[in-house]
Amino acid sequence: MSDCLFCKIIAGDIPTEKIYEDAEVLAFHDIRAQAPHHFLVIPKKHIASLNTADDAILIGKLSLTASKIAKDLCFADEGYRVVMNCNANGGQTVYHIHLHCLGGRALSWPPG
Ligand code: 5GP
Ligand code: ZN
């Protein structure tokens, strides 16, 4: 069995609140939401980080999936943020690539 937390979520070994799923990607609520809307979009294929990603279509699909969900949940027009943390200085803690989508409140910039 994989040691990767998000591979375990994909396999159904760890329960999660799924929002969207197809053959290539899964979206689910972040367990420690930092905004009224905060979900993660991940590829079903294990990719550790943006540094080891090479599938442009799949990486692009993460963003378009986030946008589709934001529209479906009716917070796209007021705005939202998508962000991908990479490695230690980027704040990455789970080494299965994931796109954060945050919305439902005004977000400050730049991040700390
Ligand atoms: P990172 O810091 O790697 O960019 O983001 C990892 C995210 O995964 C964090 O926002 C964290 O709250 C979330 N997370 C960690 N463990 C779990 C879990 O077991 N379930 C869910 N739904 N989210 C998790
Ligand atoms: Zn994984």
Side-chain angles (χ1 to χ4, degrees):
M1 189 206 275
S2 170
D3 281 340
C4 171
L5 175 68
F6 288 174
C7 281
K8 287 179 183 164
I9 285 177
I10 290 162
D13 296 334
I14 294 175
T16 192
E17 280 188 79
K18 291 181 186 176
I19 303 171
Y20 174 82
E21 181 172 20
D22 64 24
E24 295 166 318
V25 304
L26 172 68
F28 54 96
H29 293 286
D30 195 294
I31 204 167
R32 284 183 289 276
Q34 303 297 318
H37 297 283
H38 184 181
F39 61 85
L40 305 174
V41 189
I42 67 174
K44 289 195 168 174
K45 177 167 81 176
H46 180 88
I47 300 167
S49 80
L50 193 54
N51 283 346
T52 55
D54 60 6
D55 186 335
I57 292 174
L58 183 58
I59 298 306
K61 184 170 179 177
L62 302 180
S63 293
L64 294 183
T65 300
S67 153
K68 180 188 179 334
I69 293 168
K71 289 172 192 162
D72 288 348
L73 298 181
C74 299
F75 68 88
D77 284 348
E78 63 191 21
Y80 57 95
R81 179 171 298 158
V82 291
V83 64
M84 194 179 273
N85 299 327
C86 185
N87 279 359
N89 278 0
Q92 185 173 8
T93 59
V94 178
Y95 283 81
H96 180 127
I97 197 168
H98 49 281
L99 191 73
H100 293 257
C101 181
L102 301 104
R105 68 171 172 85
L107 299 160
S108 58
W109 188 265

